[in-house]
Amino acid sequence: TVYPEPAKVPDALPPASLSLGETVTNRALISDPFSVSGIRDYRFGDTMHGINYKATARSAYSPNPIKVNNYDFSQNSNFLVCLNFHTIWKSGIDNEDYEELIEKGLSICAGIVNLASRSGGRTGFAANCKHDGKEKFLVYKMNSGMQHYLDILDGMARVQPIDGMSFAAMIDHCIALNTQNTQFIIITTYMDNLISQKLTALTRFNNTVKIIMIGERRDEEN
């Protein structure tokens, strides 16, 4: 099984090309090191820089001696990463370029899910692609932990480089799930009025939306 290589998230999250709802910050996926909300036991996947050494020293004889800082997040700690497999370039795109573009999108998605998982957030993944030879789209509901992250990577490894349904229809599915208090991160090659309307509908449920554009804009609409 070949997993996509996670992209470095700080490089993969430039200022949003389009933001809907609340203001999007550059640290949306990163815990705030200046806002410690408490101390908790160490969990698998916690980073070394989060260890609270004073609290650990005081707990040397306890069953769980290693203590880490519990940080607040800059924004919602629920993230649903959505990848659009559809393109609208009138000039067309050959299979090799398309597959390279999708690999880039999957790499960005993997990097975001990885960082959010390690920071303690609940993450999900959705893509309007065919997979396993029959399904028209892929959805992993939000959960936390490294095993969930590995499950998403396994799903990414099994996708087929072809869109299975419209991106707007997939967003309708997310709306039908009554998803609330979540930051949607959209990775796509284009935006249109219908997709914008669907994303605006998401913000009515206290969600925020960030758009990451990938690929060269060649829609030739003008």
Side-chain angles (χ1 to χ4, degrees), residues 42-187:
Y42 174 86
R43 294 196 297 256
F44 175 77
D46 288 335
T47 58
M48 293 294 292
H49 75 266
I51 294 177
N52 187 309
Y53 290 96
K54 290 184 179 180
T56 297
R58 292 194 297 266
S59 306
Y61 298 102
S62 68
N64 299 301
I66 302 178
K67 305 298 180 182
V68 297
N69 294 322
N70 195 41
Y71 297 108
D72 288 331
F73 287 85
S74 301
Q75 292 202 8
N76 295 332
S77 57
N78 297 325
F79 304 96
L80 186 55
V81 186
C82 303
L83 176 60
N84 186 5
F85 271 64
H86 183 240
T87 65
I88 58 170
W89 295 329
K90 293 180 181 179
S91 59
I93 181 172
D94 61 42
N95 290 338
E96 185 176 348
D97 288 342
Y98 177 76
E99 291 181 9
E100 182 179 347
L101 185 64
I102 293 302
E103 285 296 327
K104 178 181 179 180
L106 288 170
S107 178
I108 293 173
C109 292
I112 296 171
V113 175
N114 180 35
L115 180 57
S117 297
R118 291 183 179 277
S119 298
R122 298 174 67 248
T123 59
F125 173 70
N128 59 332
C129 60
K130 292 185 177 181
H131 68 103
D132 286 344
K134 53 182 179 180
E135 300 296 336
K136 294 183 178 180
F137 67 104
L138 178 67
V139 174
Y140 283 88
K141 295 182 179 179
M142 285 178 292
N143 208 333
S144 59
M146 291 307 297
Q147 185 57 54
H148 180 60
Y149 166 60
L150 293 176
D151 289 342
I152 292 178
L153 284 184
D154 185 68
M156 290 180 176
R158 293 184 288 107
V159 302
Q160 299 176 18
I162 184 173
D163 58 295
M165 66 189 308
S166 73
F167 195 59
M170 193 189 75
I171 298 172
D172 277 335
H173 176 78
C174 294
I175 295 174
L177 293 176
N178 196 30
T179 306
Q180 302 181 26
N181 302 310
T182 296
Q183 182 170 164
F184 284 79
I185 302 176
I186 309 299
I187 293 90

Side-chain angles (χ1 to χ4, degrees), residues 188-201:
T188 182
T189 62
Y190 74 98
M191 288 291 297
D192 59 24
N193 290 335
L194 181 57
I195 293 177
S196 295
Q197 291 171 9
K198 301 294 184 182
L199 296 180
T200 299

